[in-house]
Amino acid sequence: MKNRDEVRELFKAKKVPLTHQRLAVYEELSGRKDHPSAEALYESLKKDYPSLSLATVYKTLQTLHEMGMVARVDSPAAQARYDAIVETHHHAVCTACGRIEDLFDPRLDTLPAPKAEGFVPSGHSVHFHGLCARCAKASAQKTR
Amino acid sequence: MKNRDEVRELFKAKKVPLTHQRLAVYEELSGRKDHPSAEALYESLKKDYPSLSLATVYKTLQTLHEMGMVARVDSPAAQARYDAIVETHHHAVCTACGRIEDLFDPRLDTLPAPKAEGFVPSGHSVHFHGLCARCAKASAQKTR
DNA sequence: TACTAGTGGATAATAATTATCAACCAGGAG
DNA sequence: CTCCTGGTTGATAATTATTATCCACTAGTA
């Protein structure tokens, strides 16, 4: 939870203009314990900023995400992806091209139970993110 | 990877009519090593089944999912969710109401490296799924 | 072979997100 | 403090992914 001056510093360091809207979206998001959607944030912010546009919330979240100040909880991919393997297994997701590889590793199949009050777990999955072989190679080319 | 007769049995057991389209979608999906979207499956299947409709692919995937024969890889939620906490942490996702709780557990922060050829990992996150305290209670009420 | 519930195909509708663009503001120069 | 300029905002259109609708048709059974 960053205070207003820390936020200001981060924007300055990245040379990204800090607008009222951006500050408002960030403070609203970091003040909440749930994981709101863009729409939900918009609904909350509308009271204090009646002129705020939903499109601005989307754009701001995009900007904050690129700055590394917010994370997207679920799918990075726009469309749903399907898998005919329903047994427990895990995934390596390429952050560059979106490719998803299956991982089978029994060491990941049993993990410490989640420490969440009253939560009744039925399963879990581990998502590694990083660069797939192809994209890692392409990235190495570029920076060479 | 189930053969055609096993698939036939599963449909019979669940009393779900097995149509050519359903068989085709399932066989196409289980024959692939990537994790295709509905659209991608449709594109592949169009060659052999020119009359196939995209809507049918969606409905079939839905049906297969309810039968427990296919899994959805990423987001169970329709809309993207955001988080102001960018440090490594994990999530408990309620399959009933979609609520997402943050989990902080250092034991989950270091896991065996993914066994995927050439993959360069940059991080990971663990998703537990199950019922949150509220939904678990509601579910217990109902079955009492 | 005939019957009937449920499915498939075509397309409209909906939902989430992104693009467009003129008016406006943040932040630096003078 | 005022002006300037590029980036941002807000309103809305467009796009993308998915779901609903509805009638003809097929799977599974008698």
Side-chain angles (χ1 to χ4, degrees), chain B residues 17-20 38 54-55 58-59 62:
Chain B
L18 175 58
T19 62
H20 297 131
L54 175 58
Y58 273 103
K59 282 184 284 195
Q62 180 79 35

Side-chain angles (χ1 to χ4, degrees), chain A residues 42-110:
Chain A
Y42 172 65
E43 286 304 320
S44 299
L45 288 161
K46 232 176 12 184
K47 286 151 204 153
D48 292 320
Y49 304 84
S51 75
L52 183 71
S53 164
L54 175 58
T56 299
V57 176
Y58 274 103
K59 282 182 285 197
T60 299
L61 288 169
Q62 179 79 35
T63 303
L64 292 170
H65 181 58
E66 283 164 9
M67 295 174 70
M69 292 178 67
V70 311
R72 256 191 272 263
V73 172
D74 275 314
S75 95
Q79 34 186 7
R81 308 282 217 88
Y82 296 87
D83 194 338
I85 301 172
V86 290
E87 290 76 32
T88 295
H89 66 288
H90 309 283
H91 293 109
V93 184
C94 178
T95 49
C97 70
R99 181 185 308 274
I100 300 171
E101 288 177 64
D102 287 313
L103 292 175
F104 297 93
D105 188 337
R107 295 172 299 170
L108 298 175
D109 292 350
T110 53

Side-chain angles (χ1 to χ4, degrees), chain B residues 31-92:
Chain B
R32 292 173 67 146
K33 285 193 293 282
D34 60 344
H35 298 73
S37 63
E39 183 88 37
L41 283 170
Y42 172 65
E43 286 303 321
S44 299
L45 289 162
K46 231 177 10 184
K47 286 152 203 151
D48 292 319
Y49 304 85
S51 75
L52 183 71
S53 164
L54 175 58
T56 300
V57 177
Y58 273 103
K59 282 184 284 195
T60 299
L61 286 169
Q62 180 79 35
T63 303
L64 292 169
H65 181 58
E66 283 163 9
M67 294 175 70
M69 292 178 67
V70 312
R72 256 190 271 262
V73 173
D74 274 314
S75 94
Q79 35 185 7
R81 308 281 218 89
Y82 297 88
D83 194 338
I85 301 172
V86 291
E87 290 75 34
T88 295
H89 67 289
H90 309 282
H91 293 109

